[in-house]
Amino acid sequence: MQCEKCNCQIRAGFALPELFFKPASPPALICAACTRQFKVISGLVCRGCGKPRVELCADCQLWADQGYPLLNNQALYAYDASMKWFFEAYKFMGGYHLRNLFVAEIQAWVQAPILVPIPVTDTTLQTRGFNQTLGLLGELPVHEYLRCKVVDKPMQSKKTRQARLQSPQPFELAVDQTLVEQKDIVLFDDVYTTGRTLYHAAECLYAAGANKVSSMTLSR
């Protein structure tokens, strides 16, 4: 089969124990060379957003100065050219199967009693056919405590940085407030860009009485 990123041929190989004693692994979607191009975030990261190589970035300092409790976001991968390719193919070109590039890793990584995925609008769900955040979480148990209070909104990827930061609150509570009160909650989103989406979500949960809200994202 072909690598979905570079179109080279991927040669499948099977070890004898795998062939006879356990189910075969699912076929690779991209080749080993393309897989290595995704950059894992490690070492010093911003304690607010997970950005590499800085203790507290200027963006998170601004959030803190505005009175927002920092999200202590954890991210797996850097948002670089390879990750841009992934999101374009996964979210905007109907590549729902590409969630399998990361879903097993995310399921092993995310540990949260109350995991709240970022919702999408009804229009996005109808157009795209899936919530990309839920897709990445696979079979992990989630709590859909939030919903979009607008039917449609411009895609974040089409907005300027300033437009993203100035966007109005798009979320509202989707469950009874008693489920949120005094709880520690972890938000999950696909990518952390400016933080505006996640801080909107956290603001909604804090208003409902949450004790602490943090976040995790595939990329930063």
Side-chain angles (χ1 to χ4, degrees), residues 54-208:
V54 61
E55 184 177 348
L56 185 66
C57 72
D59 285 351
C60 287
Q61 185 62 63
L62 284 174
W63 288 118
D65 290 345
Q66 294 175 62
Y68 289 91
L70 292 179
L71 287 168
N72 305 119
N73 185 68
Q74 298 177 53
L76 275 175
Y77 290 95
Y79 187 71
D80 56 11
S82 289
M83 194 56 71
K84 288 177 184 178
W85 166 82
F86 168 73
F87 283 125
E88 179 69 22
Y90 174 52
K91 293 169 67 172
F92 306 123
M93 297 179 67
Y96 184 65
H97 63 292
L98 290 171
R99 73 194 187 282
N100 291 316
L101 284 176
F102 302 109
V103 70
E105 186 177 5
I106 289 170
Q107 289 184 143
W109 174 57
V110 174
Q111 303 291 327
I114 303 180
L115 182 64
V116 176
I118 295 297
V120 298
T121 65
D122 290 345
T123 298
T124 296
L125 193 59
Q126 291 167 13
T127 303
R128 186 174 296 160
F130 59 93
N131 177 335
Q132 73 278 356
T133 303
L134 279 174
L136 289 171
L137 291 171
E139 300 302 315
L140 281 174
V142 299
H143 297 76
E144 296 188 63
Y145 284 178
L146 298 173
R147 63 182 169 223
C148 290
K149 60 183 181 181
V150 293
V151 175
D152 191 17
K153 63 182 178 75
M155 288 188 296
Q156 291 292 90
S157 60
K158 303 298 183 184
K159 293 181 179 179
T160 65
R161 175 180 176 79
Q162 194 60 28
R164 291 182 189 191
L165 289 171
Q166 294 177 349
S167 60
Q169 171 64 268
F171 305 123
E172 63 184 5
L173 205 62
V175 295
D176 191 276
Q177 185 171 328
T178 56
L179 294 175
V180 176
E181 289 174 345
Q182 299 304 309
K183 299 296 195 302
D184 291 345
I185 295 172
V186 176
L187 294 165
F188 184 85
D189 203 2
D190 53 357
V191 60
Y192 186 115
T193 307
T194 64
R196 178 68 276 183
T197 296
L198 286 163
Y199 276 103
H200 270 320
E203 189 175 21
C204 190
L205 293 168
Y206 276 126

